[in-house]
Amino acid sequence: MAGARFDAVIARRPDLRAPLPRDFVERLTGTTVRAVTRRAKYLVAELSSGETLLMHLGMSGWFSVDHGEPSQAPDPHDHVVFEMSSGAIVTFNDPRRFGSMDLVAAGHVGDHPALSALGPEPLSPAFDAHALARACKKKTIALKVALLDQRIVAGLGNIYASEALHVARLSPLRRASTIATRTGLPRESADRLTAAIKKVLNEAIARAADTTNTSYRGARFRVYDREGEPCRRPRCGGTIKRVEQAGRSTFYCPRCQR
DNA sequence: ATTGAGACCTGTCGGC
DNA sequence: TGCCGACAGGTCTCAA
C-alpha cells in the first residue's frame, strides 16, 4: 500500500468492532499512502490527505493481497476492500468482527483513545528493566495480567505473555509488584523478564518472516496450548499447567517458574 | 485509581 | 451424523 493511491474503497460491512468512521470511503478515495507503520497491535497508514488510517485485526482479522483480480469470489467476511493504484487489491477479512478501522485527523494520532495510554514498544530501548519495574511497582494484579495491560508494555498478547514468563522462569501467578523493590527499582526478575519478552518477540517475528510457516498454530510454543505436556526446559521434568487469569488461558510450568 | 467481570461475534472442536 | 457446550490469538465498559 505504501506509495499507492486508493482508487476505490468498498465498505461491504461497516459494523466492525466499532462502526467505520463517517465518510470513510470518501475520505480515503484519491489519497495516497505515505507510509505504513505499527504501534502496539495497530497498523498505522499515514495518508497524503494528512489523515491517518488506524487498523486493528482483532482476533480473527487478516488482509489478503491480490493483483489485478481477486483470486476468489468475495467471502461473506470480506468487510473492507481497498483497490490501490498499484493494482493491488487489499481485502480485510474478519469472521469475528473484533477488528476495527478508524481515521484520525492530522496531528491527533497520539491523542486517539486507542493509542494515548499505550506503554513502551517492547523492542524499543525505552522498554528496559527500569521501565518495567516502575510500571509494575504498585500493581497488585498477577504478573501475567500485568503483561497483557497495554499501558505497561504495548503489543504483547496472550500467547507471548505466557511464553516470556516461561523463558524468564517466573510464575504468572505472582503479584506484578514482586519484580520491583519497594522503591520501584528492578529486581533480577525484572531483568530476566524484559530480556525474555524481547527474545520471544524477536523469535516470533523471525518465524513470521519465514513464509513457509505462516500459521501461529504451526509454531512450536514453549508452554502455550501445551497443557499436560512435558516442560521443554532441559532437565526440568515438570508438566505444563493451564489456569485462567482475567478470563484468559495461562500456560506455565509450576516446577521451573517461580 | 485500580481491579475483576462481562460483553462484543462467529467459527471450530471434542464429547455424547 | 448431529447437536451442544467450551473455547479462541483482543479490547472496551461498567461496577465495586
Side-chain angles (χ1 to χ4, degrees), chain A residues 233-237 255:
Chain A
R233 187 181 306 287
R235 295 177 300 286
C236 169
R255 181 121 177 223

Side-chain angles (χ1 to χ4, degrees), chain A residues 7-117:
Chain A
D7 279 347
V9 175
I10 304 159
R12 288 216 165 83
R13 178 122 201 206
D15 54 332
L16 303 182
R17 183 174 209 294
L20 292 176
R22 62 171 181 78
D23 304 327
F24 180 74
V25 170
E26 294 77 9
R27 285 156 79 183
L28 284 179
T29 306
T31 196
T32 295
V33 178
R34 285 224 174 95
V36 181
T37 59
R38 178 194 58 75
R39 175 75 171 109
K41 294 169 193 155
Y42 289 87
L43 286 162
V44 181
E46 299 163 28
L47 311 176
S48 61
S49 63
E51 292 199 294
T52 295
L53 173 62
L54 272 189
M55 298 169 280
H56 198 293
L57 298 175
M59 299 261 247
S60 55
W62 63 292
F63 285 98
S64 61
V65 181
D66 296 290
H67 289 273
E69 291 289 315
S71 54
Q72 313 271 328
D75 179 280
H77 304 305
D78 286 350
H79 305 313
V80 178
V81 180
F82 300 136
E83 296 183 11
M84 308 304 295
S85 59
S86 59
I89 298 177
V90 180
T91 303
F92 176 65
N93 180 291
D94 183 10
R96 263 176 107 175
R97 282 187 287 124
F98 281 3
S100 63
M101 291 197 190
D102 201 2
L103 280 166
V104 192
H108 292 274
V109 182
D111 309 333
H112 192 279
L115 305 185
S116 61

Side-chain angles (χ1 to χ4, degrees), chain A residues 129-140:
Chain A
H130 275 85
L132 184 58
R134 217 178 312 121
C136 289
K137 175 182 156 196
K138 292 180 175 166
K139 294 285 177 187
T140 60

